[in-house]
């Protein structure tokens, strides 16, 4: 699919031009963008203003919206971030997050369903508290987890603690795929993984030997991972997150990365 880019300079200094359409929607379960469909009420009728707590974040994919019914735990919406785009600001000390997503996984360490995640973040901090974008209870065997920690350097962790790569960067664009490797081979997620940061490959190993005995997941935690004693609440700025069912080919993966990098000035 062709990419259409609009120069950030074309509209003049301080003006954010409209983005080209996002066209990679096949098998897209969740796409949350801080630029669209963010509401201060659970019904989704009141658009947020700067510094408003977010009650409902509209999903641009095929599944349900993200919500936080407890006002005390709602992240804040900020209006001027990377490239002039807004972001969701989370403070782990306030346990700010959204309620669980209806993203399920079957039981068994070899019975995971392939999936792919993209995320644009900034100001990720408090790494000793293991801030997470996606997570699950430890009883799931770490079947769904994308979190950060500072043990042995700032590390990105994917699926479970055994998958560590890279250094946390601000800002950063992450791509993580369970079920294929960097060579394009597809297999069960316990065997093949692929992790990229700022459009550079980080993880190229194919196999992990220390799989935990994983239980079925009826839902996936969003901006937290309660398997950690700290609660694993995300701490930082989240601009956009996408979750695809299954794996993507190289052309689609790189096109999505390029679109996000162009949008947020991460080229």
């Amino acid at each position: 699919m062709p990419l259409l880019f609009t120069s950030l300079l074309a509209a003049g200094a301080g003006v954010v031009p409209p983005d080209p359409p996002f066209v990679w929607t096949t098998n897209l379960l969740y796409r949350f963008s801080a630029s669209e469909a963010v509401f201060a009420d659970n019904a989704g009728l009141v658009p947020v203003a700067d510094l408003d707590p977010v009650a409902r974040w509209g999903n641009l994919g095929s599944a349900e919206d993200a919500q936080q019914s407890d006002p005390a735990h709602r992240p804040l919406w900020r209006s001027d971030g990377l490239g002039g785009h807004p972001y969701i600001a989370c403070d782990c000390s306030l346990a700010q997050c959204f309620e669980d997503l209806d993203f399920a996984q079957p039981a068994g360490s070899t019975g995971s369903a392939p999936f792919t995640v993209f995320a644009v973040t900034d100001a990720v901090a408090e790494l000793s508290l293991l801030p997470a974008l996606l997570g699950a209870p430890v009883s799931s065997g770490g079947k769904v987890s994308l979190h950060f920690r500072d043990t042995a350097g700032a590390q990105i962790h994917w699926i479970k603690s055994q998958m560590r790569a890279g250094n946390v960067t601000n800002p950063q664009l992450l791509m993580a795929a369970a079920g294929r490797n960097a060579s394009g081979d597809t297999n069960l997620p316990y065997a093949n993984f692929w992790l990229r940061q700022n459009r550079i490959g980080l993880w190229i190993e194919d196999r992990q030997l220390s799989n935990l005995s994983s239980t079925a997941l009826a839902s996936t935690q969003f901006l937290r991972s309660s398997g950690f004693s700290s609660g694993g609440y995300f701490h930082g700025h989240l601009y956009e997150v996408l979750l695809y069912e299954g794996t993507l080919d190289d052309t689609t993966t790189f096109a999505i990365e390029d679109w996000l990098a162009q949008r947020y000035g991460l080229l």
Side-chain angles (χ1 to χ4, degrees), residues 56-267:
R56 188 183 192 103
W57 197 358
N59 178 24
L60 306 176
S62 62
E64 81 283 3
D65 292 349
Q67 296 193 64
Q68 178 52 266
S69 57
D70 186 344
H73 298 303
R74 290 174 180 170
L76 302 183
W77 186 81
R78 298 305 311 269
S79 61
D80 188 14
L82 297 172
H85 290 281
Y87 58 87
I88 303 296
C90 293
D91 186 334
C92 64
S93 69
L94 301 176
Q96 291 175 337
C97 64
F98 292 98
E99 290 153 9
D100 293 358
L101 302 177
D102 293 337
F103 176 58
Q105 285 281 309
S109 62
T110 63
S112 299
F115 61 102
T116 306
V117 174
F118 297 83
V120 178
T121 67
D122 194 15
V124 176
E126 303 297 338
L127 298 179
S128 62
L129 300 180
L130 312 183
L133 292 172
L134 296 170
V138 69
S139 60
S140 73
K143 186 171 289 187
V144 176
S145 182
L146 179 54
H147 63 278
F148 311 96
R149 66 184 299 174
D150 59 3
T151 303
Q155 300 283 341
I156 301 165
H157 288 226
W158 175 233
I159 302 298
K160 54 186 182 294
S161 62
Q162 288 86 348
M163 295 289 298
R164 305 182 186 185
N167 291 308
V168 175
T169 301
N170 290 305
Q172 64 186 343
L173 164 59
L174 296 178
M175 189 291 302
R180 64 153 290 179
N181 61 16
S183 300
D185 301 320
T186 58
N187 205 326
L188 295 174
Y190 80 94
N192 283 341
F193 300 93
W194 189 26
L195 180 63
R196 288 168 57 84
Q197 180 186 31
N198 291 336
R199 302 189 301 168
I200 298 174
L202 294 182
W203 186 266
I204 59 174
E205 298 296 330
D206 293 347
R207 190 170 298 274
Q208 291 291 294
L209 301 178
S210 53
N211 288 285
L212 303 177
S213 178
S214 298
T215 60
L217 274 183
S219 61
T220 298
Q221 297 168 345
F222 187 26
L223 303 186
R224 65 189 175 106
S225 186
S226 64
F228 303 127
S229 59
S230 63
Y233 293 98
F234 180 68
H235 190 94
H237 305 160
L238 178 60
Y239 292 80
E240 192 141 352
V241 61
L242 303 95
L243 193 159
Y244 285 87
E245 185 176 37
T247 59
L248 308 176
D249 59 27
D250 282 359
T251 299
T252 303
T253 299
F254 299 152
I256 294 170
E257 285 185 334
D258 287 347
W259 189 92
L260 291 170
Q262 176 77 15
R263 184 181 203 193
Y264 296 105
L266 302 178
L267 296 175

